[in-house]
Amino acid sequence: MKEKIYLSPPDLRGNEQDLVQSVFQSNWIAPMGPMLDEFELKLANLVEVSNAVALNSATAAIHLGLQVLGVKKGDKVLCSSFTFVASVNPVTYLGAIPVLIDAEVDTWNICPVLLEQAIVEETKKGEKPKALVLVHGYGTPAKVDEILAITKKYNILVLEDAASALGASFKQQAVGTFGDVGVYSFNGNKIITTSGGGMLVSNHQKYIQEARYLSRQAKENTPDYQHNQIGYNYGLSNVLAAIGVAQLELLPEFLIARKKNHQYYKKALEKKELVFLEPHVNTESNYWLTCVLFPSNSLKEKVRLALASEHIESRSLWKPMHQQTIYNECSFYKNGVSDDLFERGLCLPSGSLLTEDNLARVCKVILENC
Ligand SMILES: *Cc1c(COP(=O)(O)O)cnc(C)c1O
């Protein structure tokens, strides 16, 4: 049987095992310790932000991020409809209400025109949104300038969901550092991994201090187990932080490898009527996943099944939130783009360990089936 090709498997080619070993030797097997401090510091330096707290997932980071921004029960929060569900669920955890906004064709991220329309309409209803969850989907930056001009004009707080976008930038500045707070993920399929984990970053120290406190059961710094707020157990393990430190060293290599995959696919498939997700002007993608649109849903499904029968994993683009039964009653500002992306779009194998032979195998199946 042929070797299975996965969508985006972990790539542990560096010092991961040595650093984990050093954690065992130091006996810091805990959600605190020197590796966590180092991981936070190194990530903060990399994206050029002054404060960071490591957490056990990006979902937890979004939850705490929204909470420290002051999102409360009944508040409206602006969200992309075209995203992974973890961008929106934390809004619900807080008892707040998502307002869903469609995508735009250039970046597949939130449409600035509909964003402004949503703010105006919701404000007319007397429900001015409190915050925006700004997603940079598939590692491709959203239209940062346009969007921040709007949130500034209407005085709306911004949490950047850069869960999949570590290494991506807009005008040379890392995405995740434009908003009031930003989030990265280190889940097993992301561009770097700690097996599972996340980071909340901000240039506002108070937000990160507050998030750190909430992530450790909101335990006061007193000897008597005093808790003045409801907290969570959201810290990252010091063991996993060791994997993160090693993975960060490899990020430059991973960025090159993933971009090469993207370029290979584009060249090999250029004769077909496929549309690739490409970074917009002034932006650099991290090319986390190479995503393509086929001319029709039937062709996309044909290719997906043909790949699966050859032991090649591919995946549909996200099913938009307005199509999910859990969110289909939310206000939705629509232009049809996210429905179309879901119909016709596929993520191709994009891991940093792919060989040219692997890529050729994937492209052969696609070329034979469309
Ligand atoms: C992966 C991802 C998340 C969730 O990250 P976890 O670390 O798995 O919780 C959230 N938002 C987006 C856009 C993602 O791609």
Side-chain angles (χ1 to χ4, degrees), residues 307-321:
L307 289 167
S309 72
E310 290 291 321
H311 310 288
I312 298 169
E313 187 185 22
S314 67
R315 243 182 244 172
S316 268
L317 297 184
W318 295 308
K319 182 175 194 166
M321 293 305 113

Side-chain angles (χ1 to χ4, degrees), residues 57-59 62 83-84 86-87 135 161 163-164 185 187 190 197 288 318:
S57 69
T59 310
I62 296 169
T83 188
F84 183 58
S87 305
V135 182
D161 178 356
S164 67
S185 171
N187 190 26
K190 296 285 154 76
W288 172 50
W318 295 308

